[in-house]
Amino acid sequence: CKKMSASSRRLTPPRVLFVGGTDSGGGAGLLADIKASEANGAFACVAVTAATAQNTLGVSGVAGIEPAFIAAQMEAVLGDIGADAAKTGMLATSGRGEDG
């Protein structure tokens, strides 16, 4: 995260990095995280770990993102925009939460 002065913190919204999956139905996952953060005045950034095919009746498919690409997304966001907080959601497989 970039270091911010107390005066600039008051002028800029908190930055939150959400790491998780997408929900094509819009009721959960990253889309729900983005909606909640914006409703509370925060700036949302994401790193997508998986995409789901789902609706209100259930999940019919999941496609995972390669761990190296998840790391690249996080590095891109943190290296430029930064984050004051982070939240993880669906990581899809255990390897997506490991260092490396």
Side-chain angles (χ1 to χ4, degrees):
C1 295
K2 294 180 180 178
K3 188 118 173 131
M4 298 175 68
S5 69
S7 61
S8 62
R9 259 184 225 261
R10 282 181 254 136
L11 299 176
T12 59
R15 304 156 298 168
V16 182
L17 173 59
F18 294 101
V19 182
T22 65
D23 165 9
S24 55
L30 294 174
L31 186 55
D33 291 335
I34 293 167
K35 290 176 185 178
S37 69
E38 289 184 349
N40 286 289
F43 180 80
C45 299
V46 302
V48 180
T49 61
T52 65
Q54 80 184 74
N55 56 29
T56 60
L57 303 176
V59 178
S60 59
V62 177
I65 306 295
E66 291 299 317
F69 191 69
I70 297 167
Q73 293 175 79
M74 294 172 69
E75 290 168 3
V77 169
L78 295 173
D80 175 34
I81 299 164
D84 300 303
K87 175 195 173 280
T88 60
M90 182 176 88
L91 300 179
T93 67
S94 62
R96 286 177 172 73
E98 297 173 2
D99 290 339

